Amino acid sequence: MAFFCLLLYITAIYLRPAEWIPIFYGWQMMDILTTVAVASLMLTLMMKKKFDTFKAPQNKLMLGLFLAFLLSHVAHTYFAGLMMTFGEFFKIVVTYFLFVLIINSERKFKITIYLLILLTLLLAIQGIYQFNTGYGWAGQRLIYNPHEPNVPGRIIWISIFGDPNDLGLAFVLVASILIAFLFGKTKFISKLITIPILGYLLYALYLTNSRGALLALMAAGAFYFIKKSKKLVFGIIIGVLFIGLVFALGPSRLASLSTDEASAYNRVDAWYYGIQLVKSNPIFGVGYKMYMEDYGLTAHNSFVLALAEAGLLGLFFWVGLFYSSFKGLSLIQKSKSHLKNYAYGLQASLIGFAAAAFFLSRLYIPLPYMLFALSASLFNVAKEKDTSLVNSLAGRDIRNIGFASMGVIMLFYTLIKITL
C-alpha cells in the first residue's frame, strides 16, 4: 500500500493533475497522498523488528540540512521565518524519507526508475506538442524572452516544471540514466526501447533552450564515458567528443555563452553578494530564502545560495549529500552487483545536476533530493546481496566533506577575483 501511494505521489509531482484536469480541481492531492503514504509506511515499520534503511549516511545529512535551514532563522530570532521554513522544506524532507524507506527492494527500485522514465517521457511529448501548437496540455504558452527576440519560444510544463531550466533538468536526469542503459551491459531489446525514448527527451531538452540544462547534459555525458571507460584517455576523448556534439547541435542560446555577457556579469555579481553575506553570518547564514530580501536577484548558484542562506553549516550538509551519494554509487560500481548500470546512471545524473546547480539556484526543488534518496535506496538494495558494502559517515568522510566545502568557497572566491 505504501509503495503504491508513493508511485501515485511521484506521478502527482510530475503531472500535477489537480492543476489542469477538471475532474481533479480542488483536490489536495499531494497532501492526501503524502498522508496515506506516511500512515502506510508507519504501519509497515511498526511490524518490522529493525530498520536497516535508516543507516544510509544521506539520512543524517538530510536531517542536518533541514536543521541548518531552521537554525538560519533561529540565529536571527526570526520565528516567522522559522515557521515558514519548517512548513516548506519539511515537505521535501518527507518526500526524501518516503523514497528511502519505501523503496527497499530491487523490484521497487526498478519500478520507480521505470515510472520516472515514463513520466519524463510524457513531459517531453507534451513539450513537443506545446512547441508545435503554441499551447501545452495544461494550456500553458511558450516562454519568450523580450531581450532575445531571435530566440524561439521555450517549452515549459506547470508548477515545479514551470521554468524551462527546471523542465530541462528533469530531462537531463532521466537522460543520464538512459545513456547508462544504452551504452552499458543491457539486453538488446532494452537498448532498442531506450533509443527512441532518449531521442524524445533530447529533442524536448533542445526545445527548452536551457543553457543550464545543456551544460548539465554535457557534464553528465562526459562524466559517464570517462568513468565507464577502462582506458582513461579513450574515455576522455569520447567525453570531449560528446561535449562537442552537444555544443554543436545545441540551441542558439548555448552558443551565446560568454563571460562578456551581461548575464554572466550578473551571475558573478550575485556570487560576490553571496560571499559578502556569509562574511557577516558565517555559521548560520542570513536565513532560509532571505537572499533576495535586499538584493532583488537570486544567487544563480545553488552552492552560493546554501552558503549565504544557511552558512557554513548548510553548505557542509548540502555538499555532504552529493559526496555520500557519489561515494555509495562508486562502491556499487566496484562491487560485483548487477545493479551497476543504475549506479552509473544515477552518478551521471548527480554530476549533471551539480553542473547545473553551479549556474542555477535550485536548492529548494525536489529533484536533487529525489536523486539523493534514490542513490541511498540503490545502495541499501545492493547491500542486501553484498554485505561487504559499507557507506558510512566516518571521521574521514566528515573531513573530506569539510575540505570539499572549503574548496567550493575558494573556487568562487577565485572566480570572483578573476572576473571582477
Side-chain angles (χ1 to χ4, degrees):
M1 179 66 177
F3 182 58
F4 179 70
C5 289
L6 177 63
L7 296 181
L8 291 178
Y9 179 68
I10 296 171
T11 302
I13 288 177
Y14 274 72
L15 300 186
R16 321 301 294 195
E19 299 175 32
W20 63 284
I21 300 179
I23 194 175
F24 294 115
Y25 284 167
W27 286 37
Q28 299 298 320
M29 189 170 294
M30 304 299 295
D31 293 337
I32 293 172
L33 291 174
T34 302
T35 302
V36 175
V38 170
S40 301
L41 175 62
M42 293 300 296
L43 289 174
T44 303
L45 292 178
M46 287 172 63
M47 292 186 291
K48 284 189 174 183
K49 295 181 180 180
K50 58 180 181 178
F51 311 119
D52 294 335
T53 47
F54 276 101
K55 294 182 179 179
Q58 291 96 322
N59 298 345
K60 297 177 182 178
L61 293 165
M62 187 68 192
L63 291 175
L65 183 64
F66 185 37
L67 179 62
F69 288 149
L70 296 175
L71 290 176
S72 70
H73 283 307
V74 172
H76 300 285
T77 64
Y78 181 37
F79 295 108
L82 172 66
M83 297 305 295
M84 179 267 293
T85 303
F86 187 89
E88 290 186 4
F89 199 75
F90 182 69
K91 295 178 181 179
I92 292 180
V93 175
V94 170
T95 299
Y96 168 85
F97 278 102
L98 283 176
F99 270 71
V100 172
L101 297 176
I102 294 176
I103 306 172
N104 54 8
S105 70
E106 181 178 334
R107 174 176 167 273
K108 291 179 180 178
F109 178 84
K110 289 183 176 180
I111 290 175
T112 303
I113 292 295
Y114 298 153
L115 176 63
L116 289 173
I117 293 172
L118 174 61
L119 293 173
T120 308
L121 175 61
L122 289 176
L123 295 189
I125 293 172
Q126 88 79 31
I128 296 170
Y129 173 85
Q130 180 189 21
F131 184 79
N132 290 326
T133 64
Y135 294 88
W137 291 349
Q140 77 280 15
R141 297 184 179 184
L142 295 169
I143 294 292
Y144 291 91
N145 189 339
H147 302 293
E148 298 174 325
N150 296 324
V151 175
R154 305 167 65 187
I155 65 170
I156 59 171
W157 182 222
I158 55 177
S159 190
I160 63 171
F161 300 119
D163 184 297
N165 294 316
D166 294 322
L167 183 58
L169 277 177
F171 295 146
V172 170
L173 299 187
V174 169
S176 301
I177 297 173
L178 292 177
I179 288 174
F181 286 176
L182 183 59
F183 294 97
K185 293 181 180 180
T186 55
K187 296 179 180 179
F188 181 71
I189 185 65
S190 298
K191 295 182 186 294
L192 286 180
I193 296 173
T194 297
I195 291 174
I197 297 176
L198 184 59
Y200 271 106
L201 296 190
L202 294 180
Y203 180 52
L205 174 60
Y206 176 91
L207 296 179
T208 66
N209 219 331
S210 169
R211 289 180 293 195
L214 263 295
L215 288 172
L217 177 64
M218 287 192 288
F223 171 82
Y224 173 80
F225 290 114
I226 292 172
K227 184 75 181 290
K228 190 70 167 59
S229 177
K230 295 180 179 179
K231 296 181 180 179
L232 181 60
V233 175
F234 177 76
I236 292 175
I237 292 173
I238 298 298
V240 171
L241 289 175
F242 180 84
I243 291 175
L245 182 65
V246 173
F247 196 89
L249 299 179
S252 56
R253 297 182 74 249
L254 184 64
S256 66
L257 281 174
S258 169
T259 56
D260 294 330
E261 277 192 322
S263 61
Y265 277 115
N266 288 339
R267 279 185 169 83
V268 177
D269 284 339
W271 298 350
Y272 176 78
Y273 177 72
I275 296 298
Q276 298 309 306
L277 286 179
V278 81
K279 285 182 179 179
S280 61
N281 304 276
I283 305 300
F284 300 110
V286 297
Y288 175 89
K289 290 195 174 180
M290 297 298 289
Y291 188 98
M292 297 174 60
E293 186 71 11
D294 296 319
Y295 190 62
L297 295 174
T298 186
H300 291 293
N301 188 291
S302 300
F303 296 93
V304 170
L305 189 63
L307 178 63
E309 294 193 344
L312 293 171
L313 192 64
L315 180 65
F316 175 87
F317 290 119
W318 174 242
V319 171
L321 283 166
F322 281 98
Y323 172 88
S324 58
S325 299
F326 191 92
K327 176 188 173 185
L329 295 172
S330 291
L331 291 173
I332 295 174
Q333 294 163 13
K334 294 176 183 178
S335 71
K336 297 180 180 180
S337 175
H338 62 287
L339 299 170
K340 290 183 180 181
N341 279 336
Y342 295 95
Y344 278 113
L346 283 177
Q347 203 170 58
S349 294
L350 281 171
I351 293 297
F353 186 88
F358 195 86
F359 298 98
L360 300 171
S361 296
R362 295 300 181 267
L363 183 61
Y364 305 128
I365 65 173
L367 288 182
Y369 304 100
M370 289 169 58
L371 271 182
F372 300 145
L374 287 171
S375 300
S377 294
L378 179 60
F379 186 85
N380 286 325
V381 169
K383 185 180 177 180
E384 288 185 358
K385 295 186 178 180
D386 185 354
T387 55
S388 64
L389 288 172
V390 178
N391 185 19
S392 61
L393 197 61
R396 180 180 178 181
D397 299 303
I398 294 174
R399 181 199 64 191
N400 290 342
I401 295 171
F403 284 152
S405 300
M406 292 300 104
V408 168
I409 295 173
M410 292 303 300
L411 173 62
F412 285 113
Y413 185 81
T414 302
L415 290 174
I416 291 169
K417 283 292 185 181
I418 292 174
T419 307
L420 296 180

